Amino acid sequence: MADTYDVVIIGGGPGGYNCAIRAGQLGLKVACIESRGKLGGTCLNVGCIPSKALLHASHLFHAAQHDFAALGIKTGKVELDLAQMMAQKSDAVEGLTKGVEFLLKKNKAEYIKGRGKILGPGKVEVALADGGTRVLETKNIVIATGSEPATLPGIEIDEERIVSNVGALSLSAVPKRLVLIGAGVIGLEMGSVWARLGSDVTVVEYLDRILPPADAEVAKEAERTFKKQGLTFKLGTKVTGIEKQKTKLKVSMEPAKGGETETVDADIVIVAIGRKPYTEGLGLENVGGRTDKRGVIEVTDHFRVAPGVWAVGDCIPGPMLAHKAEDDGTAVAELIAGKAGHVNYDLVPSVVYTNPEIAWVGKNEEELKAAGIEYVKGKFPFMANSRARTNHETTGFVKILAEKGTDRILGAHMIGVGVGEMIAEVVVAMEFGAASEDIARTSHAHPTLSEAVRQAAMGVEGWTMQM
Ligand SMILES: Cc1cc2nc3c(=O)[nH]c(=O)nc-3n(C[C@H](O)[C@H](O)[C@H](O)COP(=O)(O)OP(=O)(O)OC[C@H]3O[C@@H](n4cnc5c(N)ncnc54)[C@H](O)[C@@H]3O)c2cc1C
């Protein structure tokens, strides 16, 4: 006889596991199926968490070599123990994936190890990891199958010399020459790690700018800073092929608008040109589910694929971010339990965890101009912030954009040490429909980096005081 559930979730990443936890909290009988053998999805296993573990460790390694002396700290010879750096990364991943397993148990959500396939409305078959199959009957199916790396035609990722995020997070030696295809968030984070550890990094990007979704002024400042850190950029350039030779890779590229081909030698190539939804073998067609031409599952507002079938996270429209997947999953559990569930995609913050960090929320200047919305901006450089100066970390600025006439905040764009944390203040303000003056008149502790947010907000009405 089949087991009967209120909710069966396919995929145990941030979308799936948060949906399972919330459904359990709300008293629903829930199971979460995951095929990779560990919970946490891309985020915990091969994404957010391992990349941040390596960014943190490589930053300290670089700082010990280059910045500590100026602070009066003599470290002697600083040496890299890459195996230990990778081991501490794996420890962080292991601890957190176990933590998710504990949270599922605590909330009475069943964790089923195996591969889920939708057989029809209310019916999911699991090819169990330990062998055999199980059929689950359920009132609701939640698809949370996430995404996988996009690839370039003619370039095969082998995860040894031509790698995606998976291989890039586990290299066993520091490559001397690294070519990175794609100057987006994932690419720049990976490039930063390996450049800090000693690689000669060349970033090839099809567009004529880095970080396409970021505000152009922020992206320009970031490019300038990364160049100073030793990254080489080939913008407006497309990779046309990679020849695998015995001792090296020969990466061919040409100007995106056409022109002469050139080749760059590399030991490792990281392909970071974006991600695509993953729905292979899911049986979406068995419930009349559809995908667009990019493979994104079509959902109505409120995450519905078909009656009793829902989808969340990277496999549906919206930003491919862990906290967006988490919010989707939470909302769907609440909708299934008969509550209201909604996610405001306009206020999902983005953070790039490079040094300095880059963060934004809401609309950028280019988007506001294109939409014909009149705005006023306030900008404050970290060079004028006392804490940043004390810490010798003065790169970057905060920019607040507010609607002309109403002063309602429309966006915030930041580059600087710690902005990944500071953006949260503006997200909360925007969720409450705040004006820039609300931030400008809110007390901020001194000396903190977040005072730069306040000073930028003051700048919207032209009364920045500390510059
Ligand atoms: C290198 C890198 C760094 C990143 N850094 C950040 C960051 O700092 N911040 C951030 O917000 N986002 C980051 N992301 C993005 C983030 O990882 C994703 O947005 C997030 O993981 C999406 O969650 P999800 O639950 O939709 O899908 P996933 O995390 O992809 O989880 C889906 C899970 O479903 C499983 N699955 C698929 N099909 C089946 C099936 N049929 N049966 C059973 N299981 C199945 C998969 O094995 C997978 O574990 C990063 C991504 C990468 C690659």
Side-chain angles (χ1 to χ4, degrees), residues 214-223 358-359 397 399 413-415:
D215 182 273
E217 192 183 7
V218 168
K220 246 314 88 340
E221 176 82 359
E223 187 187 329
I358 299 159
F397 57 83
K399 181 162 77 173
H413 305 273
M414 311 179 181
I415 172 165

Side-chain angles (χ1 to χ4, degrees), residues 11 14-15 34-36 41-43 48 52 116 145-146 165 314 321-323:
E34 171 54 59
S35 59
R36 77 169 67 226
T42 301
C43 172
C48 326
K52 267 80 253 180
T145 48
N165 57 299
D314 276 11
L321 290 168
H323 42 289

Side-chain angles (χ1 to χ4, degrees), residues 312-351:
V312 298
D314 276 11
C315 61
I316 67 165
M320 285 182 159
L321 290 168
H323 42 289
K324 177 266 190 188
E326 169 185 350
D327 288 355
D328 285 357
T330 307
V332 163
E334 292 181 346
L335 287 164
I336 290 172
K339 294 172 164 292
H342 173 69
V343 185
N344 182 359
Y345 286 174
D346 289 338
L347 293 186
V348 175
S350 294
V351 177

Side-chain angles (χ1 to χ4, degrees), residues 74-364:
K74 285 191 178 173
T75 47
K77 190 162 180 256
V78 178
E79 284 180 61
L80 175 65
D81 179 350
L82 186 61
Q84 172 55 25
M85 198 177 276
M86 290 294 172
Q88 63 83 33
K89 172 210 71 172
S90 303
D91 274 357
V93 170
E94 197 63 25
L96 287 167
T97 52
K98 289 247 169 66
V100 173
E101 207 170 321
F102 163 78
L103 289 173
L104 254 58
K105 205 175 271 169
K106 180 180 162 203
N107 290 288
K108 301 191 173 56
E110 187 182 344
Y111 167 31
I112 302 176
K113 289 186 188 175
R115 203 172 173 78
K117 181 176 180 182
I118 302 171
L119 296 180
K123 210 166 250 189
V124 177
E125 182 185 71
V126 190
L128 296 165
D130 292 341
T133 56
R134 213 176 127 183
V135 175
L136 314 176
E137 275 182 10
T138 177
K139 292 181 193 141
N140 295 278
I141 298 170
V142 179
I143 300 166
T145 48
S147 61
E148 61 179 346
T151 47
L152 281 169
I155 293 177
E156 199 194 321
I157 292 175
D158 58 24
E159 297 299 6
E160 281 178 13
R161 293 205 287 166
I162 304 175
V163 299
S164 70
N165 57 299
V166 178
L169 290 164
S170 300
L171 298 180
S172 55
V174 178
K176 199 166 159 357
R177 300 157 301 181
L178 181 72
V179 167
L180 181 57
I181 310 176
V185 177
I186 294 174
L188 291 172
E189 290 185 357
M190 292 296 88
S192 291
V193 166
W194 293 107
R196 290 169 192 169
L197 299 184
S199 296
D200 203 348
V201 178
T202 303
V203 185
V204 188
E205 166 60 52
Y206 184 84
L207 300 174
D208 57 10
R209 56 164 290 179
I210 68 166
L211 280 176
D215 182 273
E217 192 183 7
V218 168
K220 246 314 88 340
E221 176 82 359
E223 187 187 329
R224 228 186 342 257
T225 312
F226 296 143
K227 275 183 183 160
K228 272 197 229 153
Q229 294 173 0
L231 271 67
T232 302
F233 288 95
K234 287 186 177 292
L235 303 181
T237 303
K238 71 172 174 200
V239 169
T240 50
I242 303 174
E243 188 195 327
K244 278 184 172 178
Q245 297 186 343
K246 207 164 179 195
T247 55
K248 64 183 175 201
L249 300 165
K250 273 193 129 23
V251 186
S252 309
M253 56 193 81
E254 62 185 38
K257 293 184 181 119
E260 299 247 314
T261 299
E262 66 167 313
T263 58
V264 173
D265 291 348
D267 303 302
I268 297 283
V269 173
I270 300 179
V271 181
I273 56 162
R275 296 183 63 80
K276 56 180 187 200
Y278 180 77
T279 51
E280 211 178 289
L282 178 65
L284 190 61
E285 62 289 352
N286 296 336
V287 282
R290 292 195 331 205
T291 57
D292 69 11
K293 52 181 190 300
R294 288 175 43 242
V296 180
I297 299 177
E298 292 178 3
V299 285
T300 63
D301 59 342
H302 297 111
F303 315 98
R304 281 172 223 267
V305 177
V309 185
W310 316 71
V312 298
D314 276 11
C315 61
I316 67 165
M320 285 182 159
L321 290 168
H323 42 289
K324 177 266 190 188
E326 169 185 350
D327 288 355
D328 285 357
T330 307
V332 163
E334 292 181 346
L335 287 164
I336 290 172
K339 294 172 164 292
H342 173 69
V343 185
N344 182 359
Y345 286 174
D346 289 338
L347 293 186
V348 175
S350 294
V351 177
V352 190
Y353 296 83
T354 44
N355 183 39
E357 290 180 342
I358 299 159
W360 68 89
V361 63
K363 299 272 183 272
N364 61 37

